[in-house]
């Protein structure tokens, strides 16, 4: 799903409210950008090597504006 600028602002506002002071583990800065697309995190069973497509969790990726590390 494509995120609008308003969606991205809402995500960053939520991050700043709930995770105030979130810092990049690579460079230590706290300047984040939100990717254009949402992603789906899938469940995976390491014993059967099966994915659980029905159990996906929608998520967004944050990119450190300084070094490019993705969270």
């Amino acid at each position: 799903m494509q995120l609008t600028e308003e969606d991205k602002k809402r995500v960053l506002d939520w991050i700043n409210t709930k995770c105030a002071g979130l810092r990049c583990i690579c460079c230590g800065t706290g300047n984040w950008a939100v990717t254009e697309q949402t992603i789906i995190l899938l469940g995976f069973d390491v014993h059967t090597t099966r994915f659980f497509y029905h159990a996906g969790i929608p998520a967004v990726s944050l990119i450190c504006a300084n070094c490019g590390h993705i969270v």
Side-chain angles (χ1 to χ4, degrees), residues 28-40:
T29 62
N31 190 8
W32 299 98
V34 179
T35 58
E36 300 290 324
Q37 297 285 330
T38 57
I39 60 174
I40 300 292

Side-chain angles (χ1 to χ4, degrees), residues 2 4 7-8 10 23-24 28 32 34 39 48 53 58-59 63:
Q2 187 78 18
T4 66
D7 293 334
K8 292 192 275 185
R10 209 176 298 151
R23 299 281 178 223
C24 176
W32 299 98
V34 179
I39 60 174
T48 63
Y53 296 102
I63 301 175

